[in-house]
Amino acid sequence: MNLKSSNSSFSAESIQKQGNGFLGVEWGTYIKAFFGGNAFVAMFVLALITLFLFKEGVGFFPQYRKDMELYRASGQEFVGLLKTELDDYDELQQQLGKVQVSILTDLYAEGKEWEEVTALTAPFQASLDQTSSAADPLRQVVKKAIDITSEAKEAVVVNNTRREITGVDLTTLMNEEQSAAFLKSSREQIIAMMPEIEAANDMFLENLLAAQEAMPELNLSPDAKKEMLIYEKGLKTFLDSMTKFDDKLAKYDPEKPFTFLQTLGGFLFGSQWTTNSSWQDFYGIWPLLSGSLLVTLVALSFAIPFGVFAAVYVNQVASSSEQNIIKPYIEFISAIPSVVIGFFGVAIFGTFIRTLSEQDFLAWVPFFPISERLNAYTAGCLLALMAVPTIFTLAEDALNNVPKAFTEASEAMGATRWQTIWRIQIPSSLSGIISAVLLGFGRVIGETMVVLLCAGNQIAVPELSKGLGIVFEPVHTMTGIIAQEMGEVVPGSIHYRALFCVGIFLFFLSLLINYIAQAIVRRYKISAG
Amino acid sequence: MIDSDSSLEMFRHRRTPAKSVQSFFFWLFRICTYIIVLAASTLFIKIAYEGSITIFEKTFPFVNVGFFTQSPQTLYVFEWDDAMLTESKLEAVAAVEAEIRKEIPEKELFFKDAIVTAEAQKAETLNELALVRADINRVKKELKQVQRKEDAATKVIEKLEAKQQRLFDRNAPEAELHQMRNEIIAGLEARKAIFREKAGIEEERANLASMKNQLSAQLPEALEIESKRVLDNLQASLAWPEPGYFEKQNAEEAQIQAEFDGKELKLEEKYSYLVDRATAKAEVLFTEVDPEDPETKLAWLKAKLSLKKAEDRWAAKLEKLETERKLALTNARSFQAGDTEYRGVYARKAEAAGVNVKSYAYSGGGIFPAIVGTILLTVGSMTIALILGIFSAIYLSEYAKPGKVLNLIRLSIVNLAGVPSIVFGLFGFGMFVVFFGWGVSLAAGCFTLAFMVLPVIITSSEEAIRAVPQGFREGSLALGATKWTSIRTNVLPYALPGILTSSVLGVARVAGETAPIMFTAAYALRDNLPWEGLDKPTDFFVQGVMALPYHIYVVSSKIPQNEYTVRMQYGTAFVFLLIVACIAFTSILLRIRMRKLYKW
Amino acid sequence: MSNESISVAAPQSTRPASDTSAAKTLIEVDNLDFYYGKKQALCDINLEIPEKLVTAFIGPSGCGKSTLLRCFNRMNDLVDVAHIGSGSIKIHGVDINSKNVDVIELRKRVGMVFQKSNPFPKSIYENITYGLKIRGIKKKSYLDEVVERSLRGAALWDEVKDRLHDSALGMSGGQQQRLCIARAIAVEPEIILMDEPCSALDPIATAQIEELIDELKTDFTIVIVTHNMQQATRVSDKTAFFYLGKLIEYDDTARLFSNPDNKQTEDYITGRFG
């Protein structure tokens, strides 16, 4: 049999390189270069993301530091301490107001007329007035101090801005030294006021104690008593803190420089995120981070059990027809756009939760009824719906990857299905399940639209004192704040850079989560041999 | 010999604790699974139900076409009460109508003349327009030059200032410092001059732009369009209110009243009978109550309870009926119109008639521009992402040398896939909108979205390519194929299904994302469609667009809520969900099909 | 040494013994050193493979026999860390590793059949014409002719002639491997390299392939790597025994199996190790 049509001979010429190429380079090289170029562009862009975030973000810290230095140098920080004290006191007053409201409500409920009620509550009203006017001397002093410092700071800020813009005659402006001296004079004015402040503070304390003694004995209903108790507790902590305040004031040193570490700490642990304020802007990420964590906690506390249980059910228990329907269905959930879920929360779920909390049969729950329909719980529940498919799919994969031999060995020894699942399948797929949970965590904490629409957007650190009721507080989140404020900031301003810093924080958080998840999977991979 | 009965006994079903535990847990898991399914279904069904009220109609063509073809508009609702529609008001309406009738021929004539004149002057106008355009281009160039000059001047000043600082630092003599200060002042003066120049040029540009608009409006084509619009509006405004319009509406109202009265009567008939019967029964039982026998008392109490229940139910039904009646009456007495319709057709007469006009932003019209915007964004970003992503994947899996660098690249790509979308939005805003100066634009949005899905596309494409058995490549190479031929004929065709599936999933993700486009590409409202009002083709890419997800966000949280907005929200959400669901469904189907087709 | 192992070693084939001494040398390996990264895989190999005969490479796993085989059509280029240290491989006196040798042209002339049959997931027809199509040959009549000739050559024609356009993946393992051989001979190479072609096949399929190899050697030079010593005795004219990257012995098959020079060879073929 002849399998060869011709006698193609093997010779040196036949395997010589032919001239197929361009400019002496083979086509293959061009093709490789083309793909390589593409890959390079893609890699470059992805690297650019990190670079760009940094480029825009790091400028925040020097700028914030400058701001805070000015805040301190002008004496505003010092006055700020007094201001906080007064703010705390106002809050306390509000609590007393609540007591009053509940007393009045009780009296009206008893069917009393207006005149009668006024007469009955007159002594209480008097002591209320006395309490609120207790702080008046201090208020006056503080107001004066606020005016002085704000004016000084304003002048310097305007001066600096004008210097930056230029175009205006330089000689009329202060240079650095001059403005420092100017600030110092303002500071010294405040320090000169120190005896005045101390006197006012002492008087405040005296007045407060006097008013407390003048408080009439009240016959209170249980509700009013509850409010009163809260007030008394608050008063006690306030009085305690007042003595500490004195210490703080005494120790305060306005000349101390503001270090970079303090700036960083102020960003990471600062409990205030205040922007566009007439007093001073603070960029502390803690209220946002705590809000994000609270929402995530709620979401995961639902998503983990539901996701994992559903994965076990579908993988191990369900009939194959059930599997064929449920699995794509749950995977399909992950395709629902987040804005639609958020809309569902705003339009239906939030109201549903609030209405539910107002039902009589749930009145025994301590923090029901809830006042806000949009809160961490609402957002958390909806985020759980988004995290379930992620956790479900990955956990199901992990269960699928457990070698058949393991289960067969277990069942051959007479273990029930459940025992096999509990003792063999789940332990051997645990690394996969944990990484699934971590990726779910990453997905939830990075989600924007749902929290923007449903979390209530109130910038405050949730108060732990509320116990479990904390989850029904409206919160703001890191992703939410970027989405809400980015559209309104001036590019290049400190606010703009602060938002980029939040972005960088989120970026690294998600990288960390992802990395840990992958490391776990790699480390504990079972070899299916 | 083993007794067969006893051996059967050995394998008999037994209830053991282990089995009880198993069934408990299986039921728990089953319940959890079905709760998830139920929760998702509730969402789907609720949105589908409410949304279909908006987008479907009871009459032909059964679909609310306007919802898909119009722009979002303010909804104007007319409300009136009969006292307000006095004779004098109706006369005023008639007067307005007469005015309009008179106006129509006048306007016709006016426009005819204008068009004829414009036709005659067309060449001239065009010439002028071209000149103005050239001027604009020149001015733009000048502006750029001035900008450059300004930047240079700023740099000089910065340098001088730095120098001054240095002089300060080493305590240079006063004279030197003085000279330095003078130099800086001179520099600042020079820059001030540049500022003035710039301001002049900017003014010129604004003038030219308004001139251009004026000139373009003088072209016969523009005039024709304008004339058609004006005349159509006038013609249309004659049609409302048709004779007896208000009477007809009133009659409708009376009909509704009668209808609801009938319903109320029916309710009364039904429940008064029930209540009467229950009352009678309770009375009878009351007479039979025996203090010794608790049972009789119980029976009486039960009868009383059922009486109360019946009464409560009646009250509830009545209340519901009243609400319905109110709604129906408002509907009958009010009249809806979109933004353009209102301004063109109803405004003058409605004003004359003095009917109450309430306006609700975003509640009328449709979502056509949002659909268009979403499609543009999706197509644009997927084109960029697929080209970059697939080619990169080919390079990484086929050409790149394995080693630490490649592993690092892979690791970073995988990790980038998990970065929150808002961070990509932030990046896009900083880079394209601010740094490149594209502004809020289609291009910025496309690139942002593209870079968001790029890691996903690269990872999954690479996975698909690497899943093709090595033997295919070797077999082909051993037959003397070049590397590229082997990849083209024996790798890519088999990796394609995987790539396709992942890219369809990418499409779903891109179409569904809101956060990255919020401040890079999306406008809350835009009058022009993307292809309208463009000066030059490149403008297409630097304009903002509307997008479905952003539209949902805007109408559900940025504007005051009312019953009309709610309809819009559900309609948009339903359409959006439908689109995304279709894409996702395609991907799932594709995957199943491809799995069956390609197995090796 | 037991009787059994002698009987195994004895040539069983009834075919006429080829005249090995008269054959012209085709492949010439001179002092070849080969490395995977820093690890030396082949050490100073000297070998001359004659034309139109079957040469078998035997040896325990990891002894370098497959590596050497893959050197003949430079499939090792695909492995990034693999490189030749010193020495040369010449085919027809041409150093195939020299810079101006086109590896594509080389592979067109040196075909290969792999351990695991790897038909492309296309139809049988497309599988066979693949090598021609990538060379730009599109004439239908010619392709048809080549398909028939190759399939006949691979003793597969009668089995598949009715389903040429069915997927190749529907065939049995032995058929798939023979298809791979048909695919290789369709491009008319001079040399066919076979890397343990029967290791995944059952005895019947193996016998068919061995028969095929016997027929093919009239037209092609065949180099076969095998684990199976009986197979080497059955199909090959010359045999090379490798151990730990070294060529231990190279001789006519009959001689090597009946009267090995080297102690290691003897131990291996008698089953003392390996």
Side-chain angles (χ1 to χ4, degrees), chain C residues 219-271:
Chain C
D219 292 302
F220 305 100
T221 307
I222 293 171
V223 185
I224 178 170
V225 165
T226 175
H227 238 93
N228 182 332
M229 279 170 285
Q230 290 96 314
Q231 188 173 51
T233 59
R234 283 195 297 266
V235 301
S236 69
D237 305 302
K238 298 200 72 151
T239 300
F241 171 61
F242 290 84
Y243 184 57
L244 293 179
K246 290 196 181 93
L247 176 62
I248 306 296
E249 195 168 348
Y250 177 51
D251 211 334
D252 289 350
T253 303
R255 217 177 103 78
L256 187 118
F257 278 93
S258 56
N259 191 10
D261 286 342
N262 194 296
K263 178 82 173 56
Q264 274 172 331
T265 317
E266 191 180 324
D267 287 351
Y268 182 70
I269 59 177
T270 52

Side-chain angles (χ1 to χ4, degrees), chain B residues 401-402 471-472 474-482 485-486 489-490 494 599-600, chain C residues 70 75 78 80 104 107-108 110 112 114 118-122 130 134-135 169 183:
Chain B
K401 282 217 163 67
F472 292 6
E474 284 183 346
S476 167
L477 285 173
L479 286 170
T482 61
T485 316
S486 313
T489 57
N490 266 335
Y494 310 120
K599 262 187 178 164
W600 49 75
Chain C
R70 290 167 71 95
M75 282 307 266
L78 300 182
D80 282 281
I104 305 302
R107 286 185 193 145
K108 283 178 189 170
V110 185
M112 186 159 185
F114 296 85
N118 56 353
F120 305 134
K122 307 173 194 257
Y130 178 83
I134 58 175
R135 240 152 271 190
L169 296 180
R183 190 173 72 185

Side-chain angles (χ1 to χ4, degrees), chain B residues 199-430:
Chain B
I201 295 174
E202 256 162 14
E203 201 178 319
E204 195 186 345
R205 184 160 84 156
N207 284 342
L208 283 172
S210 74
M211 235 156 99
K212 191 185 103 187
N213 286 342
Q214 251 174 358
L215 281 172
S216 347
Q218 277 168 22
L219 286 171
E221 291 85 5
L223 277 172
E224 242 161 59
I225 293 169
E226 173 73 8
S227 117
K228 190 172 173 339
R229 195 180 62 80
V230 168
L231 289 175
D232 278 357
N233 276 348
L234 286 173
Q235 208 72 50
S237 64
L238 284 179
W240 183 85
E242 68 252 38
Y245 174 77
F246 292 107
E247 287 85 347
K248 208 180 96 196
Q249 298 283 330
N250 286 343
E252 197 180 313
E253 185 192 326
Q255 195 192 335
I256 289 168
Q257 283 284 20
E259 192 185 316
F260 275 90
D261 282 345
K263 275 187 189 167
E264 199 178 330
L265 215 66
K266 247 190 215 161
L267 265 185
E268 197 179 336
E269 261 171 35
K270 185 177 164 195
Y271 277 97
S272 62
Y273 169 71
L274 280 177
V275 167
D276 285 349
R277 216 178 56 175
T279 320
K281 195 174 170 196
E283 272 167 10
V284 170
L285 282 171
F286 182 62
T287 57
E288 285 173 4
V289 168
D290 179 2
E292 294 297 305
D293 185 8
E295 289 229 341
T296 54
K297 192 161 180 195
L298 200 67
W300 173 63
L301 281 175
K302 265 188 190 162
K304 266 190 85 163
L305 201 68
S306 70
L307 171 62
K308 188 160 173 349
K309 252 190 199 161
E311 277 174 346
D312 283 353
R313 265 201 13 238
W314 188 5
K317 286 256 162 135
L318 267 182
E319 203 176 319
K320 200 176 153 212
L321 196 68
E322 272 318 300
T323 339
E324 274 172 22
R325 183 204 295 260
K326 236 185 197 163
L327 196 71
L329 283 179
T330 359
N331 282 347
R333 276 189 167 277
S334 67
F335 180 72
Q336 302 176 7
D339 206 358
T340 35
E341 259 185 308
Y342 175 73
R343 265 180 281 151
V345 181
Y346 303 109
R348 281 166 80 174
K349 283 183 175 178
E351 206 176 299
V355 293
N356 236 346
V357 181
K358 282 189 183 161
S359 62
Y360 301 97
Y362 290 95
S363 307
I367 51 171
F368 180 59
I371 296 176
V372 168
T374 295
I375 291 172
L376 284 179
L377 279 171
T378 312
V379 170
S381 54
M382 282 320 282
T383 314
I384 300 167
L386 283 181
I387 290 175
L388 272 180
I390 295 177
F391 289 167
S392 304
I394 293 174
Y395 180 78
L396 289 180
S397 56
E398 298 291 327
Y399 286 101
K401 282 217 163 67
K404 275 191 180 148
V405 181
L406 191 66
N407 283 344
L408 192 72
I409 288 175
R410 284 214 178 103
L411 189 71
S412 4
I413 292 175
V414 170
N415 278 322
L416 271 174
V419 168
S421 55
I422 186 84
V423 174
F424 283 97
L426 208 55
F427 159 73
F429 180 72

